Amino acid sequence: MKNLQQSNYCSALQTVQNLKEKYGESWKSISSENAARMIAQNPFKTGLDIAKYTASIMRKDMAEYDADSSNYTQSLGCWHGFVAQQKMIAIKKHHKTTNKKYLYLSGWMVAALRSEFGPLPDQSMHEKTAVPKLIHEIYQFLRQADAIELNDLFRRLENGEDVQEQIDNFETHIVPIIADIDAGFGNEEATYLLAKQMIQAGACAIQIENQVSDAKQCGHQDGKVTVPHEDFIAKLNAVRYAFLELGVEDGIIVARTDSEGAGLTQKLPVSKEPGDLASQYLAFIQAEETSIINAKEDDVLFKRDGKLVKPVRLPNGLYKFREHTNIDRVVLDCITSLQNGADLLWIETPTPNLKQIAHMVNRVKAVVPNAKLVYNNSPSFNWTLNFRKQAYEEMLSSGKDMSFYDKDNLMDIKYDNSELSNIADDKIRSFQKDASNEAGGFHHLITLPTYHTTALHMNDLSENYFGEDGMLAYVKKVQRQEIRKGVSCVKHQRMAGSDLGDDHKTFFSGEQALKASGKKNTSHQFENNKNENKAIKKLPLTA
């Protein structure tokens, strides 16, 4: 976003000055400089502005990944605007740029944390309106992060500091969001209507899965039911039409297949000619050879390889796929989606096994060479156990003496600093890089990290605050860490917009403004952070 703020400020200044001339004396109390500053602090006026801006970022990143697979992107799932805001502020602080850092909106977390029904499983039972509402909320918080940081810079400029370059080259906290629309919450028209709401809220990338909408399950649970390709293509079309109608020409569609773990389908598609998509889908259906004489009343029959067969049907009416067809179904799903408007792929897998992922993706790339994967680095995987098992097998096959290790108890804490553990941790550390190089991994995300970190932090704080440590538990493990690590919300009044609001009050009311940032504001106790940060470098971490 280099130079966007300055160009906005200059053009806004001229616009307001022209308006003041037009409306004359009645606008005399409006400061052109203050108005231009407020405009510059909010460069994205609508969610559509955000969707168009971030879509162009994703398209650029996709092209850069195609040229060099080390240019992969990352995100963390956020269930509240504040969580997303603090994530992006931390990224800017620690990594100096938001480049190739996205946000992820998980349908699982919407169901578990944002439904008016209370906590729900990931089965599309939550209100569909909760999804665009969360997108809107996230971008409201990110806009506020922009406004607060820029407001601080303008204050410093007014006080004589040379921060003009920082203002001119300000990098926004607004980044792309990949938003989960589940299976579309209904038919293709329902998908289109919800996609429009999500795009208008700011989503530039919509992830949609090939499960039956009213039977949707979490990708890491059993009982998943997929739909024929024709049904899924209709929903891909619905999302694309929504993007085009709203003028987001670069909008991204992420097509997710759950076929790896799905063994059921609800419908038998109609084949119009041998070898078409419906025919290929039907070929995966488990069926038993029969005859008209042996067929029961109301049996469903079809012809396969010149023989009459009866598909295996469960008491609930669902049809079973043949065993060991899941990988072939995944590959066909991916190729079909990319050939029908999808931009990126999402393959749900049972474990984070790089060889297995690469096997599927490389089969897709043989047909669609620039196929790219969005991969869920899911907390549903036991990463430690999975990679220790992989390390164990590799060490065993290389001739290592493995008698020290109990293969059935590799999670044991006694192995934490062992050779096996170090090998496994190195594999976890390089997993995203390796998957990007070897398995088309353009984007890596963790769906539910902030769900788990919230639970972990509340567990630790509750254990000690309600124990012998009392208030020391909060001070030592939270506030003192916030101060010394420079966490933005240690001054929570500022983060909530108090200083920004004071400046606005001054713009609106002048000397009559009743401001919150006077001498009695206790936030001033945190203004010696710089000195404390310098001091802490000379002290042990336990001080």
Side-chain angles (χ1 to χ4, degrees):
M1 195 165 143
K2 189 174 181 179
N3 294 325
L4 181 58
Q5 298 298 339
Q6 179 67 358
S7 63
N8 272 4
Y9 179 83
C10 293
S11 61
L13 183 63
Q14 186 61 55
T15 297
V16 179
Q17 287 173 343
N18 292 341
L19 287 169
K20 288 192 66 174
E21 290 181 11
K22 178 179 179 181
Y23 291 105
E25 190 66 16
S26 65
W27 279 43
K28 64 182 179 181
S29 61
I30 300 297
S31 162
S32 300
E33 290 76 12
N34 291 345
R37 173 171 154 181
M38 293 176 71
I39 293 169
Q41 289 171 191
N42 182 24
F44 302 100
K45 311 308 179 191
T46 69
L48 281 179
D49 290 340
I50 292 172
K52 291 174 183 177
Y53 169 74
T54 53
S56 67
I57 290 175
M58 278 197 71
R59 291 290 179 180
K60 174 185 69 68
D61 289 346
M62 289 162 65
E64 290 178 359
Y65 175 82
D66 286 339
D68 180 352
S69 63
S70 67
N71 290 317
Y72 61 89
T73 57
Q74 298 169 292
S75 67
L76 296 172
C78 299
W79 54 271
H80 193 280
F82 176 72
V83 175
Q85 180 195 66
Q86 292 305 301
K87 169 192 159 183
M88 296 316 304
I89 289 173
I91 286 172
K92 284 190 68 175
K93 180 179 73 175
H94 293 295
H95 303 285
K96 310 306 177 188
T97 179
T98 62
N99 186 41
K100 294 181 171 53
K101 309 297 190 292
Y102 299 172
L103 293 160
Y104 180 66
L105 184 150
S106 162
W108 193 100
M109 284 210 286
V110 174
L113 298 169
R114 300 302 299 255
S115 172
E116 293 183 9
F117 291 101
L120 295 172
D122 184 21
Q123 297 173 3
S124 285
M125 294 190 289
H126 57 280
E127 312 89 328
K128 65 175 70 177
T129 53
V131 183
K133 283 181 179 178
L134 179 53
I135 297 169
H136 175 77
E137 174 184 292
I138 286 172
Y139 282 124
Q140 285 291 91
F141 272 82
L142 296 184
R143 282 164 157 161
Q144 187 192 48
D146 278 358
I148 289 171
E149 186 175 340
L150 279 163
N151 192 65
D152 287 348
L153 287 171
F154 276 115
R155 277 185 168 192
R156 292 167 60 189
L157 187 67
E158 289 176 347
N159 290 331
E161 289 189 53
D162 185 12
V163 293
Q164 186 64 58
E165 184 179 352
Q166 294 181 53
I167 294 174
D168 294 347
N169 297 300
F170 179 80
E171 186 175 29
T172 179
H173 297 84
I174 300 291
V175 295
I177 189 168
I178 299 176
D180 186 359
I181 199 173
D182 284 354
F185 286 87
N187 62 20
E188 56 268 38
E189 174 68 5
T191 300
Y192 153 77
L193 293 172
L194 179 56
K196 280 182 62 177
Q197 293 294 312
M198 293 167 68
I199 297 163
Q200 287 171 325
C204 72
I206 292 179
Q207 167 213 331
I208 185 166
E209 62 204 54
N210 68 337
Q211 290 192 46
V212 175
S213 185
D214 60 357
K216 181 258 189 300
Q217 296 276 22
C218 171
H220 294 277
Q221 292 181 322
D222 202 359
K224 294 185 287 295
V225 185
T226 61
V227 298
H229 297 98
E230 294 84 353
D231 290 23
F232 191 56
I233 291 170
K235 291 191 175 182
L236 296 179
N237 290 338
V239 176
R240 181 63 66 202
Y241 274 109
F243 274 124
L244 292 173
E245 178 182 338
L246 296 172
V248 185
E249 298 173 1
D250 290 334
I252 312 294
I253 300 175
V254 182
R256 171 175 144 180
T257 174
D258 283 277
S259 289
E260 197 285 336
L264 303 170
T265 187
Q266 191 178 56
K267 294 169 65 175
L268 299 178
V270 177
S271 175
K272 297 179 181 178
E273 57 183 54
D276 62 11
L277 271 176
S279 176
Q280 293 178 69
Y281 194 80
L282 290 168
F284 293 125
I285 302 297
Q286 184 176 336
E288 302 166 342
E289 187 176 346
T290 187
S291 66
I292 291 295
I293 295 174
N294 294 327
K296 297 178 181 179
E297 196 74 18
D298 299 322
D299 268 352
V300 174
L301 308 174
F302 61 85
K303 188 176 179 181
R304 175 185 286 172
D305 299 328
K307 299 175 182 178
L308 196 65
V309 297
K310 181 177 72 173
V312 174
R313 199 175 191 187
L314 302 180
N316 56 17
L318 298 174
Y319 298 94
K320 292 186 68 175
F321 288 114
R322 290 188 290 113
E323 292 289 329
H324 309 302
T325 63
N326 55 335
I327 303 304
D328 290 338
R329 284 185 278 124
V330 165
V331 172
L332 181 60
D333 291 346
C334 291
I335 292 171
T336 302
S337 294
L338 291 175
Q339 291 176 337
N340 287 274
D343 301 289
L344 297 169
L345 301 173
W346 176 307
I347 301 174
E348 282 290 356
T349 65
T351 62
N353 187 298
L354 182 58
K355 291 181 180 179
Q356 293 174 0
I357 300 165
H359 172 69
M360 291 183 283
V361 173
N362 289 332
R363 286 181 61 185
V364 176
K365 288 170 75 71
V367 180
V368 186
N370 68 340
K372 289 179 282 296
L373 185 66
V374 172
Y375 189 70
N376 175 11
N377 292 232
S378 176
S380 293
F381 304 143
N382 185 330
W383 286 78
T384 301
L385 183 59
N386 271 291
F387 281 86
R388 286 185 180 182
K389 284 181 176 180
Q390 292 177 34
Y392 182 93
E393 294 302 328
E394 289 183 11
M395 292 170 69
L396 185 66
S397 64
S398 70
K400 289 272 188 180
D401 178 8
M402 303 302 289
S403 57
F404 171 70
Y405 302 101
D406 178 358
K407 185 178 179 181
D408 297 323
N409 193 29
L410 294 177
M411 280 291 294
D412 196 312
I413 194 171
K414 70 182 181 182
Y415 300 137
D416 278 3
N417 294 311
S418 66
E419 181 184 8
L420 180 142
S421 173
N422 292 335
I423 291 173
D425 285 355
D426 284 343
K427 287 178 174 292
I428 295 171
R429 183 180 296 109
S430 67
F431 176 80
Q432 295 185 349
K433 178 181 178 182
D434 295 340
S436 297
N437 290 333
E438 301 171 29
F442 162 72
H443 186 75
H444 293 275
L445 59 91
I446 307 177
T447 45
L448 319 176
T450 51
Y451 179 90
H452 289 280
T453 53
T454 301
L456 176 63
H457 292 161
M458 288 311 301
N459 173 80
D460 294 349
L461 180 60
S462 298
E463 176 187 12
N464 296 297
Y465 174 75
F466 294 102
E468 292 184 2
D469 280 356
M471 190 59 194
L472 180 60
Y474 174 79
V475 172
K476 187 175 181 180
K477 296 296 185 181
V478 181
Q479 189 180 76
R480 195 176 295 168
Q481 299 304 313
E482 286 181 308
I483 293 170
R484 291 178 173 172
K485 293 179 181 180
V487 176
S488 61
C489 68
V490 68
K491 294 180 69 173
H492 49 261
Q493 308 286 14
R494 169 188 171 274
M495 201 67 252
S498 181
D499 291 354
L500 182 65
D502 274 359
D503 283 358
H504 289 171
K505 291 175 187 176
T506 303
F507 297 168
F508 307 153
S509 303
E511 294 180 357
Q512 299 178 36
L514 182 63
K515 296 189 286 187
S517 56
K519 293 182 179 180
K520 294 185 179 181
N521 188 316
T522 57
S523 290
H524 296 316
Q525 296 173 35
F526 299 98
E527 289 178 357
N528 292 323
N529 291 358
K530 291 182 180 179
N531 293 332
E532 188 157 357
N533 285 335
K534 290 178 181 177
I536 195 66
K537 294 177 182 177
K538 302 177 183 178
L539 296 173
L541 292 175
T542 54

